Each structure stands twice: as structure tokens, then as C-alpha cells.
Amino acid sequence: MSRLYPKSFLRLILIGFGLVSLPLIFALGNAAFNVQQLAEQSEQAVREAAVATRASREMLETLTGMERALRQYLVLRENSLLEDYRRQHGEFLQATREYARLPLDEAGRSRLVAVLAREQKLLSALNDGSAVSADEFSAIVEQVRGVLAASGRLVDLEIDRLRTTALDARSTLTWQLLAAIPVALGIALWFRTIISSQLQQVDRAIRTIGRAEYSDGITVAGPQDLAYLGRRLDWLRRRLAELEEQKNRFLRHVSHDLKTPLTSIREGAQLLGEGVPGPLNEQQKTIISIIDQNSRRLQQLIEELINYQQAGFASSSIDPQP
């Protein structure tokens, strides 16, 4: 059984504290992990929203400039206006490529590709000198606005997803804490029982010694320091048993050695007082009376000593109150 215990009582207590704190540490670690995930997802959502906002603004501003340059070109037919349209076309493609890095759904990405193809077809027609209508470009602008509006709804959906994830994480953490608290309390009560059983062994051993019950050996199971304390208590039990035996033997010898000559003295004094050897004068009778009184007093003291020994043994058998 001792192999199941750690080497020291302090280590047993530390192990108990560690096991009690494990459910709470797990709940806190899971909370930190969920918070970290939420923070990363929130950062990504904010970054994507910022990119979408910036790219959308650049795309719309570029399309507005392209539409203005196209309408002026269709009226004035100046090559500088066409070059301005081409320059803004490049800026539009760059903003579109940045916007395409966002996590768009398949439908939104397909519509964006269709818009680019339609605008590229319009540019090819301008380069070839074919007839182009400004209304065609207006339709492209409206189509781009539809794509951007759909992506805006995706951002809203991402925000809703983050809100749902946060609520789920909060609910999960709440249940984990509610489960961790009784588990921690259960482990604490379990270790309290273990530690209390260890201390009760020492208490029983001390009470046994206090009752002067030296016949049974003392054994304390548990960590090494408590087992060592049990061995020291058992040594104390043996030592007290030896001292008790020596005291009892001494008192027996003293009472026997004192009673035998005291009895002879009392008998001699009684014979002298009765005048067996011959008549006594008043002074001799007074001396004999003193001897008899003091011998009786000495016998009373011996009996009190024996009674004190018995009374001391009886009082040692009473359990002290905790």
C-alpha cells in the first residue's frame, strides 16, 4: 500500500492541489484557445472587410472615371481620352485582382469574371474602332455594383458567423466551468478524505499511547515521512512500556521492602507497649507511642503511594477531548 503514496506528505498535498486545479486549468486553457481563435477570425474578418471596402471604393471610383472618359471620347473622339480610359482600365484590373483575393463564393466570383470579360470586350471594341454605346458601360457599372453588394452581404454573413461562434464559445465555456467546479470539488473532497485518513492514523496512535496501551504495535501507512513518524511513535510506545514496567517493578520492590521491616517495627512496638518484656515507665511508654504512631503514618504513606500508582494508571486511560 505504501507504494501507492508519494514520498512525502507535502508532495501528496501538492498532488492534490494539482489535481484539483486541473479541471479549472483545462477550462481556462480552452477559454484562452477559443478567445485566440475568435481574435484571429475577427482580425481576418476586419482585414477582409477593410480590403473589400478599399477595393470596392477604388473599383467604383475607377469605373466612374472610365465612364466619364468613355462618354467624352464618344463625343470628341480624342485619343487622349481613349488613353485615359485605358489607364483607368489598368487601375480597375488591379483593384479587381485585389478584390478577387477575398473569400468570395462561386456565384460572386463567376459574376466578377463575367463583368471583367464584358468590360474587356468593350475595350477591344474601342481599340478596333467599332461602335460602342455608353449605355453598355453603364450596364457594366450596374453589374459591378451588384457584385459589390453581394460581397457586402457576404461580409455581413461573416460577421453573423463570428457572432454565432462567440455565442457558442461562451455557452461552451459556461458549461465547462459548471462541470469543472463540481469535478474540482469532488477531487478536493477525495483528497481531503485521503489526508484525513493519514492524520487519523497518527491521532489513533497518539491516543493509544495516551491510554497506556502498550501491547499492540503502531503502524502508520502512507507517505514516507508519515511512515517514519509511525515508526518513531512505535519506538516511543516500546520505550514507555519499558519505563512503565520498571516503575511498577520499583514500586513493588519498594512497597515490599518497606512493608516487611515496618511490620516488624510495629509488632515490636506493640509488644513493648503491652509490657511483654517487662513493665515500662512513663517515658518508655511515650517513646513506644511515638514509634507506633510514626510506623502507622509510614504505612499510610506506602499505601497512598500504591494507590497513587493505580490512580495514575486509571487517569492515563481516559481519552483527551479533541
Side-chain angles (χ1 to χ4, degrees):
M1 288 296 294
S2 60
R3 295 180 181 178
L4 300 177
Y5 295 100
K7 291 185 177 180
S8 66
F9 189 71
L10 177 60
R11 186 173 298 180
L12 177 63
I13 295 176
L14 292 177
I15 291 175
F17 277 114
L19 290 178
V20 168
S21 60
L22 276 181
L24 300 177
I25 291 175
F26 174 77
L28 291 176
N30 193 18
F33 176 75
N34 288 332
V35 169
Q36 179 65 24
Q37 278 193 330
L38 285 174
E40 292 177 356
Q41 292 177 5
S42 300
E43 182 182 359
Q44 182 180 359
V46 170
R47 186 169 55 250
E48 291 175 356
V51 171
T53 302
R54 184 177 62 254
S56 300
R57 185 181 65 252
E58 291 177 356
M59 289 171 65
L60 290 176
E61 291 177 355
T62 305
L63 286 174
T64 301
M66 290 170 66
E67 185 178 10
R68 183 173 57 252
L70 176 61
R71 291 183 181 275
Q72 290 176 358
Y73 173 76
L74 293 177
V75 174
L76 302 176
R77 294 294 178 174
E78 293 181 0
N79 291 331
S80 59
L81 295 174
L82 182 58
E83 288 298 327
D84 187 32
Y85 180 87
R86 291 170 180 169
R87 178 182 59 78
Q88 294 189 70
H89 168 76
E91 295 176 358
F92 175 73
L93 291 180
Q94 183 177 359
T96 304
R97 283 193 294 269
E98 185 177 1
Y99 187 82
R101 296 193 188 100
L102 298 174
L104 304 175
D105 57 355
E106 292 298 328
R109 195 172 297 277
S110 299
R111 287 194 296 269
L112 183 61
V113 171
V115 169
L116 291 176
R118 190 172 181 181
E119 194 276 333
Q120 185 64 39
K121 183 178 179 181
L122 180 62
L123 178 62
S124 299
L126 287 173
N127 291 331
D128 294 341
S130 302
V132 175
S133 173
D135 295 336
E136 176 68 16
F137 193 85
S138 298
I140 294 175
V141 173
E142 292 300 324
Q143 192 173 0
V144 170
R145 291 182 185 275
V147 173
L148 296 179
S151 64
R153 288 192 294 271
L154 290 177
V155 173
D156 294 337
L157 291 176
E158 180 68 17
I159 294 174
D160 292 338
R161 186 178 67 84
L162 284 175
R163 185 182 297 109
T164 303
T165 304
L167 293 176
D168 292 342
R170 185 178 66 179
S171 177
T172 302
L173 292 177
T174 302
W175 283 111
Q176 285 180 350
L177 286 175
L178 291 177
I181 291 174
V183 170
L185 290 177
I187 296 176
L189 292 176
W190 177 45
F191 262 86
R192 178 186 178 278
T193 303
I194 294 176
I195 294 173
S196 177
S197 65
Q198 305 299 314
L199 297 179
Q200 285 176 359
Q201 293 182 84
V202 178
D203 180 71
R204 285 194 297 268
I206 294 174
R207 289 175 181 271
T208 300
I209 294 176
R211 291 192 298 266
E213 297 176 359
Y214 306 128
S215 57
D216 297 332
I218 295 175
T219 302
V220 177
Q224 291 184 1
D225 48 4
L226 282 182
Y228 174 75
L229 179 60
R231 292 193 296 271
R232 300 304 296 170
L233 288 174
D234 189 65
W235 171 84
L236 178 62
R237 175 193 64 83
R238 296 194 303 270
R239 181 60 179 161
L240 290 175
E242 293 175 1
L243 294 176
E244 184 71 17
E245 179 62 27
Q246 293 176 6
K247 183 189 73 172
N248 293 334
R249 187 164 56 249
F250 172 76
L251 290 176
R252 286 196 301 270
H253 290 170
V254 168
S255 61
H256 180 269
D257 292 342
L258 290 177
K259 278 185 176 182
T260 301
L262 182 59
T263 302
S264 300
I265 292 173
R266 288 191 59 193
E267 290 177 354
Q270 186 177 2
L271 291 174
L272 289 174
E274 292 175 356
V276 174
L280 301 176
N281 56 32
E282 293 299 326
Q283 293 180 346
Q284 291 173 340
K285 290 181 179 181
T286 301
I287 294 172
I288 293 300
S289 175
I290 293 172
I291 294 174
D292 183 66
Q293 291 177 0
N294 284 278
S295 63
R296 291 177 183 275
R297 175 61 179 163
L298 182 59
Q299 184 177 3
Q300 182 180 0
L301 292 175
I302 294 173
E303 291 176 354
E304 289 179 356
L305 180 62
I306 296 174
N307 293 332
Y308 172 78
Q309 175 195 2
Q310 296 175 351
F313 178 78
S315 63
S316 65
S317 301
I318 301 176
D319 269 344
Q321 295 298 322

